[in-house]
């Protein structure tokens, strides 16, 4: 019989703690598949964030360092400099990357640090119970923006991919959405490309994954996918914002 | 014979680190320690090492975390406000059991304070600084030669016990020039880093981490950290005792202040006062036993610090009420004068020593 699906070798065969309908688990799988396909498991070191993915090291089957909130790009820089032949990536939420770790991500990109960043944007803080993130949409209600995010006092949501794409050291910046099977396939392609860019030595690479948090959005998994498409995707367009060829295109 | 060269304190630390095998430096500028990153940026590329000027102290210490986790001999340096920023990362390094060297050339505080030498980061260095149950090994050199020797020692000790080590200096020690010898570092058995995340080729995956969500597990982890520090206490405490056996008054001081106290002691002895000096070389762990022993014979102690009184609390703990412990301190970057300390010694001698 032909085997059509298997758990990637770089993923441990165990259930995750993520909520039903959360795409953290899918993104883990895409990373593990990529590492298997590129044959780099033996030289990969991942960096886990603070946030819902803090336990990522329980699921990946390769070396992982857990980092302080937002500092993953700095930790990855340290690892990368010690292991020039290594494959180093960070896995970060939007609170982690766009708020407390905003300086670290910008400067890792500025240095053209040869790391890959998988950035999970679910427009909210998941682990601490649904507070406002820098990526929370205007009018979106969270536990710390109970009347909806107000532009006048809380500013507009930050578009990290667009911002980082202006940085010369960033070789590959893309945004994908995990809300459909086709979106998942595109996400896989982007993640693989980001790792290939790292392997080529071209510089910093990041894939922003538009993701769901049904638990803190107060929705069913199905509603959450629809909310992502109708609310997040218009503000956060998917596409490749920077490639090693310098092409900037929105798809 | 090892070569003897004139070196500035800050540059001596940097050169000693390189000779001890440190190949990675991550830092951010702050006075009065800038010669360390500057020296490293020149020298490390010559020996195949890496220097990165980070975007902040927070990033620098987290780069240290990543590099240490990947098994490297790595260091950072800063001065007081920068060390405050590094405390987050120091707590994580301690929590994850990662060895590294952190140099603090202390300046006056709190806040932005000033740029003159001080000893006001003692509490921060020896009582924690970051959050949680942990200790660093903290060395307090009093000469440029000791900066060299203790820097070399600190790397080994950090690796043997898997914890961050700190060199606690100050602006004077960093800036002063003295002849130094770079000996071969003392050979110590340093265990293999069978925990480092270097890529899981041919072995099970490894995790560098300080998260223990189960309280019982965190409890056991903290006990293990405490246990390792007990071993440090048993093996690594260092203190110099000068003229203490027959002393009526024992001065207690470290670093720059200890140098001044040494001349105070000499002048006091010349005038017939029996004064000795206890000079901690490690302040974490603190030499409680050595100072406690001195309290069996001394009639009084005088702790001298460039702070409003921080180490004096440990001296009092060591003396345990067996003798009065006096304090003389200057703060804000003011260096105490030998004359002022001597006057205090004479005052104490009049009050305590002449008693039957
Ligand atoms: C220094 C620090 N501040 C705050 C926290 C608390 N904290 C844990 S997770 C988190 C938010 C994480 O949100 P995000 O990065 O969006 O990831 P998600 O949980 O949504 O996957 C915060 C604020 C922390 N662990 N450390
Ligand atoms: S809280 Fe939100 S982000 Fe976290 S696992 Fe649950 S759904 Fe996912």
């Amino acid at each position: 019989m032909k085997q059509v699906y298997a758990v990637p070798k770089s993923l441990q065969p165990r259930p995750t703690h993520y909520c039903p309908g959360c795409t953290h688990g899918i993104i883990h799988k895409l990373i593990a598949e990529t590492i298997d396909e590129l044959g780099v498991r033996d030289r990969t070191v991942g960096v886990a964030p603070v946030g819902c993915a803090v336990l990522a090291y329980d699921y990946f089957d390769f070396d992982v360092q857990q980092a302080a909130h937002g500092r993953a790009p700095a930790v990855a820089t340290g690892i990368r400099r010690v292991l020039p032949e290594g494959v180093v990536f960070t896995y970060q939420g939007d609170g982690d990357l766009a708020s407390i770790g905003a300086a670290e991500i910008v400067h890792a990109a500025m240095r053209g640090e040869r790391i890959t960043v998988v950035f999970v944007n679910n427009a909210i803080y998941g682990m601490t119970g649904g507070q406002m993130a820098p990526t929370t949409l205007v009018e979106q209600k969270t536990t710390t923006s109970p009347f909806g995010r107000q532009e006048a006092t809380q500013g507009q949501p930050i578009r990290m991919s667009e911002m980082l794409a202006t940085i010369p050291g960033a070789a590959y910046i893309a945004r994908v959405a995990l809300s459909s099977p086709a979106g998942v396939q595109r996400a896989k392609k982007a993640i693989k490309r980001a790792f290939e860019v790292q392997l080529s030595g071209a510089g910093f690479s990041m894939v922003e994954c538009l993701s769901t948090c049904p638990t803190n959005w107060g929705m069913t998994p199905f509603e959450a996918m629809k909310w992502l498409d109708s609310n997040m995707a218009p503000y956060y367009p998917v596409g490749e914002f920077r490639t090693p060829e310098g092409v900037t295109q929105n798809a | 014979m090892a070569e003897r060269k004139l070196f500035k304190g800050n540059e001596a630390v940097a050169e000693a680190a390189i000779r001890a095998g440190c190949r990675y430096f991550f830092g951010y500028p702050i006075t009065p320690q800038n010669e360390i990153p500057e020296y490293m940026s020149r020298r490390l590329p010559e020996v195949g090492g890496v220097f990165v000027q980070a975007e902040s102290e927070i990033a620098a210490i987290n780069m240290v975390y990543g590099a240490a986790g990947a098994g490297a001999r790595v260091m950072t340096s800063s001065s007081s406000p920068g060390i405050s920023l590094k405390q987050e990362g120091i707590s994580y390094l301690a929590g994850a059991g990662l060895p590294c060297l952190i140099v603090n050339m202390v300046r006056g505080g709190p806040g932005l304070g000033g740029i003159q030498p001080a000893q006001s980061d003692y509490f921060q260095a020896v009582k924690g600084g970051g959050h949680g149950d942990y200790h660093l090994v903290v060395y307090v050199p009093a000469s440029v030669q000791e900066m060299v020797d203790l820097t070399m020692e600190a790397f080994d000790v950090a690796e043997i016990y898997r914890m961050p080590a700190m060199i606690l200096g100050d602006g004077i020690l960093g800036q002063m020039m003295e002849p130094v010898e770079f000996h071969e570092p003392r050979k110590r058995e340093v265990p293999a880093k069978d925990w480092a995340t270097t890529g899981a080729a041919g072995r099970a995956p490894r995790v560098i981490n300080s998260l223990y969500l189960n309280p019982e597990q965190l409890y056991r982890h903290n006990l293990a950290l405490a246990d390792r520090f007990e071993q440090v206490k048993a093996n690594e405490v260092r203190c110099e005792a000068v003229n203490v056996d027959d002393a009526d008054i024992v001065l207690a001081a470290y670093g720059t202040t200890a140098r001044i106290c040494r001349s105070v002691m000499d002048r006091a002895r010349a005038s017939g006062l029996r004064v000795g000096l206890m000079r901690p070389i490690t302040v974490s762990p603190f030499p409680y036993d050595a100072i406690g022993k001195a309290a069996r014979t001394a009639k009084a102690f005088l702790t001298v610090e460039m702070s409003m009184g921080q180490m004096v609390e440990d001296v009092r703990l060591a003396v345990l009420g067996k003798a009065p412990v006096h304090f003389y301190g200057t703060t804000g970057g003011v260096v105490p004068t030998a004359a002022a300390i001597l006057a205090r010694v004479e005052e104490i001698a009049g009050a305590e020593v002449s008693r039957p």
Side-chain angles (χ1 to χ4, degrees):
Chain A
M1 208 177 13
K2 187 176 167 230
Q3 186 172 15
V4 292
Y5 181 79
V7 177
K9 283 203 175 53
S10 293
L11 206 59
Q12 307 202 18
R14 63 165 68 138
T16 69
H17 70 287
Y18 300 114
C19 307
C22 176
T23 66
H24 270 309
I26 301 173
I27 301 167
H28 282 22
K29 197 199 83 178
L30 299 182
I31 294 170
E33 276 178 6
T34 299
I35 286 172
D36 284 359
E37 288 166 20
L38 296 173
V40 294
R41 178 217 172 251
D42 285 359
R43 51 190 175 113
T44 294
V45 182
V47 183
V50 161
C52 281
V54 68
L55 297 173
Y57 49 78
D58 279 346
Y59 311 131
F60 289 129
D61 187 42
F62 44 73
D63 284 1
V64 179
Q65 292 195 23
Q66 200 285 316
H69 197 28
R71 317 297 175 223
V75 171
T77 297
I79 301 168
R80 155 53 76 209
R81 298 301 178 110
V82 174
L83 305 174
E85 302 304 318
V87 174
V88 182
F89 77 93
T90 72
Y91 188 99
Q92 300 179 258
D94 42 26
D96 193 81
L97 180 141
S99 196
I100 191 168
E104 283 80 2
I105 196 69
V106 167
H107 288 275
M110 287 296 298
R111 286 190 299 272
E113 210 64 60
R114 288 182 300 118
I115 61 173
T116 297
V117 174
V118 178
F119 169 35
V120 182
N121 178 357
N122 56 15
I124 207 161
Y125 283 29
M127 194 189 210
T128 42
Q131 296 81 13
M132 189 181 76
T135 46
T136 293
L137 298 174
V138 171
E139 297 299 342
Q140 185 184 338
K141 284 187 180 162
T142 72
T143 59
T144 51
S145 57
F147 312 109
R149 180 180 183 149
Q150 299 301 307
E151 197 188 314
T153 50
Q154 290 152 327
Q156 290 193 16
I158 189 165
R159 293 188 179 101
M160 288 308 295
S161 287
E162 286 83 341
M163 190 173 119
L164 294 176
T166 66
I167 292 177
Y172 183 72
I173 306 282
R175 184 185 286 124
V176 295
L178 276 294
S179 49
S180 68
V184 172
Q185 277 179 3
R186 278 197 292 270
K188 169 66 189 297
K189 265 175 85 175
I191 289 171
K192 191 161 177 184
R193 180 124 199 246
F195 276 90
E196 283 166 350
V197 164
Q198 178 184 162
L199 288 168
S200 78
F204 176 90
S205 56
M206 182 179 89
V207 180
E208 175 175 348
C209 303
L210 299 183
S211 180
T212 52
C213 182
T215 304
N216 289 301
W217 292 354
M219 296 175 195
T220 66
F222 183 70
E223 286 165 353
M225 293 295 177
K226 292 188 78 129
W227 192 87
L228 189 165
D229 281 336
S230 49
N231 293 277
M232 286 180 77
Y235 188 83
Y236 297 114
V238 297
E240 289 180 321
F241 295 89
R242 197 177 179 98
T243 65
E245 301 79 47
V247 186
T248 302
Q249 64 185 50
N250 272 5
Chain B
M1 259 273 299
E3 43 181 333
R4 230 170 131 73
K5 281 187 170 172
L6 202 58
F7 254 86
K8 200 179 207 183
N10 281 333
E11 297 188 335
V13 168
E15 181 60 29
I18 290 171
R19 292 188 189 222
C22 171
R23 290 294 175 270
Y24 299 88
F25 183 97
F26 305 96
Y28 188 83
I30 184 168
T31 308
Q33 60 80 55
N34 290 323
E35 293 86 353
I36 302 178
E38 286 167 0
Y39 191 91
M40 286 305 207
S41 69
R42 283 197 304 276
R43 273 284 279 141
L44 275 172
E46 288 173 12
V47 293
V50 172
F51 166 88
V52 178
Q53 180 167 323
E55 60 271 29
S56 67
E57 287 86 351
I58 298 173
I61 193 75
N62 282 284
M63 291 175 188
V64 168
Y65 177 100
R73 213 165 234 215
V74 52
M75 73 178 284
T76 186
S77 66
S78 192
S79 180
S80 310
I83 295 290
S84 290
L85 280 177
K86 286 188 202 287
Q87 292 301 341
E88 175 196 69
I90 295 173
S91 170
Y92 274 75
L93 282 153
L98 294 179
C100 67
L101 181 68
I102 301 147
V103 178
N104 182 2
M105 293 299 178
V106 182
R107 58 189 249 181
L112 197 49
I115 58 168
Q116 299 302 322
Q119 295 180 322
S120 42
D121 295 357
Y122 179 92
F123 282 154
Q124 190 196 45
V126 313
K127 305 295 180 193
H131 58 285
D133 264 333
Y134 75 91
H135 294 277
L136 307 178
V137 194
V138 182
Y139 292 94
V140 280
S143 66
V144 181
Q145 183 64 55
E146 255 188 1
M147 300 262 246
V148 168
D149 300 343
L150 296 177
T151 295
M152 291 185 170
E153 175 154 340
F155 278 110
D156 283 349
V157 168
E159 287 181 14
I160 293 167
Y161 302 96
R162 284 192 64 185
M163 57 179 69
M166 178 178 272
I167 298 281
L168 189 68
D170 64 54
I172 292 187
L173 289 166
Q175 298 302 320
M176 77 170 42
M177 281 186 106
E178 284 180 335
V180 292
E181 270 179 26
F182 290 96
H183 319 274
E184 274 295 297
R186 180 152 74 107
K187 278 272 169 286
R188 295 194 61 167
E189 195 85 35
V190 175
K193 293 179 177 172
D194 56 5
W195 41 264
T197 52
T198 50
R203 58 160 170 79
R206 293 173 181 163
V207 176
I208 302 285
N209 188 19
S210 61
L211 178 70
Y212 297 87
L213 288 172
N214 175 319
E216 297 290 334
Q217 268 179 18
L218 182 54
Y219 187 10
R220 281 198 295 278
H221 173 65
N222 280 330
L223 285 181
L225 292 182
D227 196 53
R228 286 217 293 274
F229 193 65
E230 286 301 317
Q231 293 171 37
V232 179
K233 282 183 190 167
N235 304 325
E236 309 294 340
V237 179
R238 291 182 55 187
C239 182
E240 185 190 21
V242 195
N243 292 334
V244 168
D245 289 347
D246 72 336
D248 289 324
I249 299 175
V250 172
L251 296 167
Y254 69 94
T256 292
T257 320
R259 292 171 75 107
I260 302 167
C261 282
R262 198 180 272 263
S263 61
V264 170
M265 177 188 73
D266 292 342
R267 282 156 72 171
R269 288 249 165 203
S271 72
L273 287 174
R274 289 203 298 248
V275 171
L277 170 68
M278 291 301 283
R279 178 176 78 87
I281 297 172
T282 56
V283 285
S284 172
F286 190 77
Y288 290 109
D289 290 347
I291 291 178
K293 199 168 144 233
R296 288 192 211 141
T297 48
K299 296 201 174 74
F301 284 75
L302 174 61
T303 303
V304 185
E305 293 176 70
M306 291 191 283
S307 82
M308 287 305 288
Q310 300 193 13
M311 184 180 80
V312 64
E313 296 190 1
D314 281 325
V315 175
R316 289 201 173 110
L317 273 178
V319 169
L320 277 176
K322 290 190 208 102
V325 177
H326 301 271
F327 176 70
Y328 179 81
T330 56
T331 185
V334 172
V335 180
T337 63
I341 302 168
L342 187 61
R344 209 42 219 283
V345 168
E346 283 162 353
E347 204 182 299
I348 294 165
E352 315 267 8
V353 178
S354 52
R355 264 191 242 141

